[in-house]
Amino acid sequence: MTVRARARITAAPGGRLPVLSGEGPLAVRRTRPRERAGGTWAQVTTVGGMSGPLGGDRLRMSVTVEPGAALRVTSAASMVALPGPGRDGAEASYDTELTVGESGVLHWWPEPLICAADSVLRMTTRVALAPGARLWLREQQILGRAGEPAGRLSTRLIVRGGGRPLLDQELSFGPGVPGWRSGAVLGSHRAVGQLLVIDPDFGKRPVEPELLGPTAVLTPLAGPGALITALAPDGLALSRLLARGEDLITAGLRSG
């Protein structure tokens, strides 16, 4: 049976959540945020009421951060894309829309996505940032569980700031994708991820390009912002690379 599920989150100033609803794999709960500078934050955790997405499922997440509000969204566990019951190669979709108002802050911090063998998933994330908005967005994708082949994954990330395009990238991996195992794409690596940071303070002191290792790089973006892109043999190594980049970006913003 195909599942259609949607989650909606709206964060208002003062840590309020006037809208918080979710279902199925996108069940959401308010959780206690860590202490953070800049006022009262709200924190929401997706807990996943069932396995998925499975082949043919349609999932949609909509998040709105009102002007001056701050929100951190996490997940309780990794999301695992699985084949449908008949293993007929049906594609699942997961669409995310993130909107951040003027001077709002959003930390989008889910656990890794794992694409199990025979799964087919298309992910699209659209971000709209008002002037002065801040965004920390982390994505981690792992192709196949331990000891199994990869599923097929297509992702697209579209970010606009103040009505202008900041980033638009599309990636595809897995069986049926030409050259995805070549040295120009993933090679022998099974994990890929990125950390995108958009912050007006980069306009005062842009980030400097830096290699974080043989398969990870920190690059400046217009916006102003910074992007870390990393490949790794597994999820743990990927997490460590992104954490190192996060520390560098945080230190740079503080020093500025």
Side-chain angles (χ1 to χ4, degrees):
M1 180 180 69
T2 298
V3 172
R4 296 181 181 271
R6 181 175 183 181
R8 298 171 61 237
I9 303 168
T10 297
R16 295 183 294 112
L17 293 168
V19 178
L20 181 62
S21 65
E23 53 195 4
L26 298 180
V28 292
R29 301 289 185 271
R30 178 169 189 148
T31 49
R32 180 178 297 178
R34 292 180 293 177
E35 292 296 325
R36 294 182 177 276
T40 304
W41 286 63
Q43 178 160 306
V44 173
T45 300
T46 61
V47 296
M50 56 191 297
S51 298
L54 277 65
D57 288 355
R58 300 289 181 262
L59 309 182
R60 180 178 294 274
M61 171 82 75
S62 299
V63 177
T64 300
V65 179
E66 294 182 354
L71 173 67
R72 179 179 172 91
V73 180
T74 65
S75 57
S78 297
M79 176 176 283
V80 182
L82 298 166
R87 295 183 177 269
D88 56 359
E91 180 185 76
S93 66
Y94 182 20
D95 297 322
T96 303
E97 295 182 0
L98 309 175
T99 303
V100 187
E102 188 170 352
S103 299
V105 185
L106 174 62
H107 284 201
W108 182 254
W109 221 253
E111 293 300 308
L113 165 71
I114 302 172
C115 295
D118 299 319
S119 65
V120 182
L121 176 64
R122 174 182 55 79
M123 292 184 63
T124 304
T125 303
R126 293 180 172 85
V127 184
L129 304 173
R134 290 173 166 82
L135 172 73
W136 289 67
L137 181 149
R138 184 183 69 182
E139 292 186 331
Q140 301 176 87
Q141 289 114 22
I142 301 172
L143 300 171
R145 293 171 292 193
E148 75 173 9
R152 189 163 81 236
L153 172 67
S154 298
T155 71
R156 187 175 182 187
L157 174 62
I158 305 163
V159 184
R160 298 180 66 85
R164 299 181 296 110
L166 302 181
L167 180 66
D168 189 339
Q169 69 175 23
E170 187 167 357
L171 303 170
S172 294
F173 312 105
V177 178
W180 74 282
R181 274 301 191 193
S182 70
V185 187
L186 288 190
S188 61
H189 299 95
R190 294 171 58 89
V192 57
Q194 59 187 2
L195 173 62
L196 171 66
V197 181
I198 304 295
D199 193 305
D201 289 343
F202 283 130
K204 307 170 189 175
R205 186 172 181 177
V207 66
E208 295 293 329
E210 183 170 346
L211 287 175
L212 305 179
T215 58
V217 62
L218 167 63
T219 56
L221 289 179
L227 177 66
I228 298 168
T229 305
L231 303 178
D234 54 46
L236 180 59
L238 176 65
S239 179
R240 288 171 174 167
L241 284 172
L242 294 179
R244 180 184 174 195
E246 179 189 356
D247 290 342
L248 285 174
I249 291 175
T250 300
L253 288 171
R254 288 175 177 169
S255 66

